């Protein structure tokens, strides 16, 4: 029912959204991240050194050959750190639990790859509820969705017209029928059906 292939063959509607964060790794508050890591089972002996190391990082602006003064690191996940994927995925796991455990999103299904997350539903109202919960969740973790890269999709021309009604924080989003953009196992669409 929630996969695009099944929805096309069974003639059920499928609506979805592909979320994109703005500077995902740069705005993660450590207090929230550490609490989630510990709640999901990472012992303090693992998280304490991780965040102690992060606090020691000094950032500098560079312009040409000039280097600015050191600025202490106060949040963010260092890209290139082998634990960065674990650290960002703890936020995505928490988001998935929020969507999956809400009665208003009972017809929604989620999936994600690192920080790229998506929600799909057979119900337009459930999808909007999932988008609203995602916006609330992102505000709570100080994350910002990028409305220019966040896109809506559907499995038919009629449903593409309907999915345009879905808004993120009151903002209309782009609607796509480009199957290359949607080339994910759980959301693959065949452009010949659009």
């Amino acid at each position: 029912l929630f996969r695009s292939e099944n929805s096309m063959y069974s003639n059920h509607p499928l609506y979805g959204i592909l979320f994109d964060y703005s500077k995902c790794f740069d705005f993660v508050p450590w207090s929230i991240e550490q609490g989630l890591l510990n709640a999901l089972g990472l012992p303090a002996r693992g998280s304490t050194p991780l965040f102690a190391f992060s606090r020691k990082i000094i950032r500098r602006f560079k312009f040409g050959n000039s280097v600015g003064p050191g600025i202490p690191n106060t949040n963010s996940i260092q890209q290139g750190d082998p634990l960065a994927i674990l650290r960002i995925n703890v936020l995505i796991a928490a988001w998935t639990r929020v969507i999956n455990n809400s009665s208003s999103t009972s017809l929604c299904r989620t999936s994600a790859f690192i920080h790229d997350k998506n929600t799909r539903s057979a119900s337009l109202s459930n999808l909007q509820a999932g988008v609203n919960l995602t916006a609330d969740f992102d505000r709570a973790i100080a994350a910002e969705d990028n409305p220019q890269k966040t896109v809506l999709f559907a499995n038919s021309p009629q449903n593409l017209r309907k999915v345009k009604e879905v808004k993120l924080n009151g903002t209309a989003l782009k609607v796509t029928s480009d199957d290359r953009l949607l080339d994910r196992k759980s959301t693959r669409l065949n452009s010949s059906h659009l």
Side-chain angles (χ1 to χ4, degrees), residues 65-148:
N65 291 332
S66 301
V67 178
I71 302 167
N73 196 24
T74 58
N75 65 350
S76 79
I77 297 172
Q78 298 77 20
Q79 294 182 52
D81 176 353
L83 293 175
I85 302 305
L86 172 68
R87 293 176 70 182
I88 203 67
N89 277 332
V90 74
L91 299 171
I92 300 303
W95 165 77
T96 299
R97 286 184 180 188
V98 167
I99 301 298
N100 291 343
N101 292 327
S102 172
S103 60
S104 66
T105 55
S106 60
L107 295 177
C108 289
R109 297 296 178 262
T110 60
S111 62
F113 179 74
I114 305 176
H115 65 282
D116 292 327
K117 58 189 184 187
N118 71 73
T119 302
R120 57 208 176 279
S121 179
S123 162
L124 199 56
S125 62
N126 267 230
L127 181 66
Q128 182 64 68
V131 170
N132 295 343
L133 277 174
T134 299
D136 292 343
F137 178 85
D138 290 344
R139 272 191 295 281
I141 66 166
E144 295 179 25
D145 285 301
N146 183 343
Q148 280 71 44

